[in-house]
Amino acid sequence: MAAAAASGTSTGTRSTGSIAAAASKNNVTSFQRRGPRASSTDSGSSRLVSIAGTRPSVRNGQLLVSTGLPALDQLLGGGLAVGTVLLIEEDKYNIYSPLLFKYFLAEGIISGHTLLVASAKDEPAEILQDLPAPLLDDNCKREFDEGVSNHETSESNIKMKIAWRYQLLPKMEAGPVSSSRFGHYYDSSKKISQELLDASKCHGFFLPEKISSTLNVESCSLTHGYIQLLQFIQKIIYEEGFDGSNPQKKQKNILRIGIQNLGSPLWGDDVCCTENCDNSYSLTKFLYILRGLLRTSLSACIITMPTHLIQNKAIIARITNLSDTVVHLESFIGSERETNPLYKDYHGLIHIRQIPRLNNLICDVSDVKDLAFKLKRKLFTIEWVQDNYLRQERNIYPPGFSYLLKQKDSAWGEGSLQHSTFLMSFLAKATAFASRLVRHSKPLKQTGSGRIGQAAGPRLWRDGRRQEAPGLLAIPP
Amino acid sequence: MFPELNNLLNATPDKVDQGKLTLLCDAKTDGSFLVHHFLSFYLKANCKVCFVALIQSFSHYNIVGQKLGVSLTTARERGQLVFFEGLRSSVDVFFRAKGEPHPLQFLREASAGNLQPLYEFVREALRPEDNGEAAWRCPVLLVDDLSVLLSLGMGAVAVLDFVHYCRATVCWKLQGNIVALVHDSGDTQDEENDILLNGLSHQSHLILRAEGLATGFCRDVHGQLRILWRRPLWHPAQRDRSLTYQYKIQDKTVSFFAKGMSPAVL
């Protein structure tokens, strides 16, 4: 895998060897910093990896690119590994998934990567025109503060809250980091500037054009559109030297591939229409070969797929197995969750379905599971659902406790003195109750002089077990 | 190679059973750690290994192998390991002109192909050397994973046939072992996959089944492993003994413990 280069081991693939060789030539000392900062564009000559917009993973040495949404990067273990596929399962009305798609492409333009946009519905040129504008260093702070101030309380207020329930929560990276070159925030209300578009290098694949131009159909089990797309991608990768086979003269670069609505009927695939179709293997075969192409080149791919349309559930499971990272968006539009007060601040849920295990036995699973997204006026944010009551009932508290807490909360307000007093007293009572249960259930063996046993009466201490509740003396027969 | 798993399976690299088919199976979790275990185990046991890796690239297995104390590169150079990289081969077979037969030839064919070329490849890879003296102990075929073949358009029966042929050659004729991973599709009603899994469970000698926890994600317990031995009736050990352990995957090893006995809980 080409992306394994950063680990510095010679792994036998040609592309890896070439990068490693280049790196070792530059290294004078054997000591070097292997941090996320090693990726900046204006790097000195002694940097291990010098491709703009990438950084090596701390965990497994993989080269990472940003998805264009720093919060998502964080959830995926730092970013998207080069040579892997990110599959976005579209939300029902396909409203929010194009945003992630565009962020990914826009991040490529900002980082100077080459783009490859494939679509069967929209012209690639139009998609590019619609990309959001980045919030760059100078103005982003102001933009973000404005977005934040109206919904978030200030830091000092958070400190005042009841501490032990909230301080342990993982903090989501909420705001733009002004100096980071890896991952940017985008303003979805503005379009990207024309100069940036002109400066970028982009290849478009628009299915209707390709179908009409060539009709020499080779007999193959893949759908015609998929064959065309694979050949197109392979041609770009080979011609522009992303596979490392013909060494690039210029700066090494990343190819970002975006494929929109893959598997929809527009691609000539009928997995969405019938359950048992003839070429139900087209999609999985396409994914497999695409993955093979990616693994041997410096490229990363995002695919959005309307999985809710696919009739045969078995195919979805296979597609998940054949992709690397899988993220599912579930919007609240049209569902009963839209009116649920718990979710009133959000537009949908985001499920991280799969995170790849690369060069490692384990994967970077984030501990936070209940995630929701919200599209603000400008920013797309991912937040932890404030579902404290349910979550904590599951984990820590005795059953029913959180319900009580919720009632008391409404009366007293969180963090108030009464609230915490109640909390402590309840916990003390619960502990005492639990220990009493334990004491009662264990068989009693008479030890010592037996004086206590005699005093308690003969019935209570027969067979070493207590037969009636203490204090309730049975009436002798 | 995870020492704790070796203890559970009562195996050491010095003492390798022969002629066995081991089925690895994962449901709602990732069972690839078992593949890494058996790969490093057989390499350390000095067996000749043919590894059909359909799901990941060579460098991935190599780097994990290094953490477990084996080097796949040197094993390949010494001729101990024959590595078939499915992802790379699929690109080769798809983009090059028609020519000599290829193990994954069926990717190009419009009609339902068969796995005969892949079987030929395995047979060639594990064929004992002619010069008499055996350099390696016994041949081992390792497949990660068979479910991918279903996704690539093969029928369950074709895959079962492939395993059957491999058994006849590797397990019986050459007295070697086969280890294969199959995903359990769970409740997705993947009929082909169920046929494959049931067919293999029926004929394998040892089944290792990794399952995700029914209660969901947990930081300290990654899943549970069921071990099912299928032994003949007259075997001294307990018949059809099934054991369940929970496990936690760490950076370089996997720790096993009895159900509910995670160190984090106690």
Side-chain angles (χ1 to χ4, degrees):
Chain A
M1 195 183 312
S7 69
T9 53
S10 68
T11 52
T13 63
R14 262 181 302 181
S15 52
T16 308
S18 63
I19 301 175
S24 63
K25 211 193 309 172
N26 290 337
N27 284 340
V28 185
T29 63
S30 58
F31 294 100
Q32 56 203 355
R33 212 166 62 176
R34 273 210 189 184
R37 306 289 307 139
S39 61
S40 54
T41 38
D42 51 349
S43 63
S45 56
S46 64
R47 294 296 164 92
L48 196 60
V49 180
S50 57
I51 306 176
T54 66
R55 68 177 176 202
S57 160
V58 200
R59 194 61 168 283
N60 51 25
Q62 285 278 346
L63 200 59
L64 301 177
V65 296
S66 170
T67 56
L69 193 62
L72 186 61
D73 286 344
Q74 201 187 355
L75 292 173
L76 302 181
L80 184 65
V82 171
T84 62
V85 180
L86 167 63
L87 178 73
I88 306 281
E89 297 187 28
E90 290 174 6
D91 51 307
K92 194 174 169 193
Y93 300 106
N94 199 14
I95 295 169
Y96 300 103
S97 46
L99 280 174
L100 293 184
F101 186 77
K102 284 174 186 166
Y103 288 149
F104 181 82
L105 295 177
E107 177 69 24
I109 288 185
I110 302 298
S111 310
H113 299 161
T114 310
L115 299 189
L116 194 159
V117 186
S119 170
K121 193 173 72 179
D122 305 321
E123 285 249 25
E126 284 177 25
I127 297 177
L128 287 177
Q129 292 293 332
D130 272 352
L131 292 183
L135 291 170
L136 288 174
D137 297 351
D138 45 350
N139 57 353
C140 73
K141 208 68 196 163
R142 182 167 40 82
E143 300 266 11
F144 188 74
D145 286 343
E146 170 191 338
V148 157
S149 55
N150 53 12
H151 95 105
E152 192 88 57
T153 47
S154 66
E155 284 295 321
S156 56
N157 258 349
I158 291 176
K159 284 242 168 56
M160 290 295 288
K161 280 191 177 176
I162 173 160
W164 58 279
R165 282 178 68 196
Y166 293 101
Q167 256 174 8
L168 296 177
L169 301 182
K171 287 196 178 58
M172 306 295 298
E173 191 175 325
V177 185
S178 55
S179 62
S180 81
R181 297 197 172 266
F182 182 89
H184 298 81
Y185 282 87
Y186 294 90
D187 181 352
S188 34
S189 65
K190 287 191 201 125
K191 300 275 166 66
I192 198 164
S193 68
Q194 195 62 39
E195 300 93 68
L196 278 170
L197 278 182
D198 293 340
S200 67
K201 195 168 180 187
C202 180
H203 306 275
F205 178 94
F206 188 44
L207 188 67
E209 287 172 2
K210 302 283 172 181
I211 288 291
S212 54
S213 62
T214 49
L215 273 173
N216 48 346
V217 183
E218 192 191 359
S219 92
C220 192
S221 51
L222 278 178
T223 310
H224 184 61
Y226 293 160
I227 299 178
Q228 292 282 331
L229 178 56
L230 278 175
Q231 283 171 347
F232 185 77
I233 294 175
Q234 196 254 352
K235 199 185 79 184
I236 300 288
I237 286 179
Y238 181 73
E239 280 178 358
E240 310 218 345
F242 290 108
D243 54 352
S245 57
N246 46 350
Q248 289 169 296
K249 298 284 181 290
K250 52 186 189 311
Q251 182 77 22
K252 279 193 183 302
N253 207 344
I254 303 280
L255 177 68
R256 282 187 184 238
I257 305 173
I259 306 174
Q260 205 182 26
N261 304 118
L262 188 73
S264 76
L266 288 176
W267 282 94
D269 202 333
D270 52 358
V271 283
C272 293
C273 310
T274 58
E275 193 163 334
N276 295 312
C277 45
D278 304 330
N279 51 0
S280 62
Y281 302 116
S282 284
L283 195 55
T284 45
K285 272 189 186 180
F286 170 81
L287 273 174
Y288 191 75
I289 298 170
L290 175 71
R291 204 168 168 217
L293 271 175
L294 293 175
R295 287 291 152 104
T296 51
S297 61
L298 280 174
S299 49
C301 182
I302 187 172
I303 297 175
T304 69
M305 189 182 283
T307 44
H308 57 281
L309 294 181
I310 294 177
Q311 299 296 312
N312 192 344
K313 295 299 166 218
I315 293 183
I316 300 179
R318 290 180 180 186
I319 287 170
T320 308
N321 281 334
L322 287 178
S323 329
D324 293 297
T325 313
V326 182
V327 173
H328 180 213
L329 294 183
E330 176 190 350
S331 77
F332 292 149
I333 299 176
S335 79
E336 76 263 15
R337 282 186 169 145
E338 200 176 9
T339 50
N340 189 336
L342 185 62
Y343 297 122
K344 66 181 189 313
D345 292 334
Y346 305 104
H347 289 133
L349 295 178
I350 183 163
H351 305 282
I352 311 286
R353 286 274 159 86
Q354 180 170 300
I355 288 180
R357 286 153 204 253
L358 298 166
N359 304 343
N360 232 335
L361 282 171
I362 34 181
C363 54
D364 279 316
V365 179
S366 127
D367 287 336
V368 191
K369 289 294 174 195
D370 306 321
L371 294 163
F373 63 82
K374 167 165 41 168
L375 179 63
K376 292 189 220 158
R377 196 164 58 85
K378 289 174 174 178
L379 285 170
F380 184 90
T381 56
I382 299 177
E383 286 171 22
W384 182 69
V385 188
Q386 298 292 315
D387 191 0
N388 296 323
Y389 299 113
L390 286 176
R391 161 175 286 271
Q392 300 197 346
E393 175 149 16
R394 256 182 269 143
N395 291 342
I396 314 167
Y397 294 144
F401 173 62
S402 56
Y403 173 71
L404 277 174
L405 247 193
K406 197 184 276 189
Q407 283 190 325
K408 300 292 179 190
D409 266 3
S410 54
W412 294 329
E414 278 177 287
S416 64
L417 185 63
Q418 291 105 318
H419 184 270
S420 42
T421 319
F422 167 74
L423 209 84
M424 302 315 276
S425 68
F426 187 93
L427 278 183
K429 269 185 234 161
T431 320
F433 182 66
S435 66
R436 220 179 312 148
L437 277 183
V438 172
R439 247 188 296 142
H440 281 211
S441 62
K442 88 178 161 207
L444 293 167
K445 205 73 179 172
Q446 188 178 342
T447 53
S449 68
R451 198 170 295 156
I452 300 172
Q454 285 159 8
R459 286 202 172 266
L460 291 177
W461 297 95
R462 187 179 295 164
D463 300 330
R465 289 191 76 98
R466 188 174 295 194
Q467 288 185 330
E468 284 93 6
L472 273 176
L473 285 173
I475 303 157
Chain B
M1 188 177 71
F2 311 127
E4 292 191 29
L5 186 54
N6 278 342
N7 289 343
L8 298 183
L9 298 178
N10 199 12
T12 54
D14 309 324
K15 178 171 71 87
V16 178
D17 284 348
Q18 292 196 322
K20 298 285 190 252
L21 169 63
T22 304
L23 173 67
L24 313 177
C25 162
D26 56 1
K28 288 193 292 183
T29 185
D30 189 294
S32 57
F33 72 97
L34 295 169
V35 176
H36 293 294
H37 165 79
F38 280 100
L39 180 62
S40 53
F41 177 80
Y42 283 119
L43 285 179
K44 276 190 179 162
N46 221 14
C47 293
K48 167 104 180 176
V49 180
C50 173
F51 187 18
V52 180
L54 298 172
I55 200 80
Q56 287 284 6
S57 62
F58 177 77
S59 69
H60 168 77
Y61 293 108
N62 189 29
I63 292 173
V64 179
Q66 277 170 355
K67 289 187 180 173
L68 304 183
V70 292
S71 167
L72 269 59
T73 334
T74 45
R76 191 158 71 164
E77 279 160 9
R78 286 190 301 166
Q80 189 190 0
L81 172 72
V82 180
F83 193 91
F84 178 77
E85 192 173 343
L87 286 171
R88 190 175 282 264
S89 306
S90 71
V91 174
D92 288 347
V93 78
F94 194 77
F95 291 111
R96 89 208 151 115
K98 280 199 162 92
E100 71 274 20
H102 190 279
L104 293 182
Q105 191 64 40
F106 63 86
L107 272 178
R108 280 183 81 94
E109 284 159 13
S111 59
N114 58 27
L115 287 166
Q116 200 176 346
L118 190 59
Y119 164 69
E120 299 284 343
F121 173 84
V122 170
R123 200 182 58 179
E124 280 301 305
L126 292 179
R127 196 171 55 179
E129 281 142 40
D130 299 328
N131 51 12
E133 44 115 12
W136 313 112
R137 197 188 279 170
C138 65
V140 173
L141 169 66
L142 198 60
V143 188
D144 183 21
D145 61 81
L146 285 174
S147 302
V148 171
L149 291 174
L150 297 179
S151 305
L152 294 180
M154 302 308 299
V157 179
V159 181
L160 281 174
D161 284 348
F162 168 72
V163 176
H164 186 74
Y165 270 86
C166 289
R167 264 189 81 195
T169 309
V170 180
C171 289
W172 184 71
K173 216 166 120 193
L174 302 173
Q175 283 298 305
N177 295 317
I178 297 182
V179 180
L181 175 71
V182 179
H183 294 298
D184 185 347
S185 55
D187 50 358
T188 53
Q189 286 122 28
D190 194 339
E191 286 164 17
E192 294 270 301
N193 199 44
D194 290 347
I195 294 174
L196 175 65
L197 187 61
N198 293 338
L200 282 177
S201 309
H202 178 70
Q203 42 181 296
S204 50
H205 300 94
L206 168 64
I207 302 170
L208 298 183
R209 186 181 155 87
E211 295 167 341
L213 292 179
T215 45
F217 171 79
C218 175
R219 199 188 311 172
D220 295 303
V221 184
H222 289 149
Q224 64 180 21
L225 181 76
R226 287 168 190 271
I227 304 173
L228 178 66
W229 270 291
R230 300 178 62 243
R231 286 181 172 139
L233 287 173
W234 56 86
H235 198 279
Q238 216 174 345
R239 196 156 45 90
D240 275 356
R241 202 153 56 102
S242 172
L243 301 165
T244 308
Y245 296 96
Q246 290 179 334
Y247 61 86
K248 180 183 183 190
I249 306 179
Q250 280 143 359
D251 194 31
K252 291 184 179 173
T253 186
V254 178
S255 57
F256 291 88
F257 35 84
K259 262 176 125 172
M261 307 291 270
S262 160
V265 177
L266 298 177

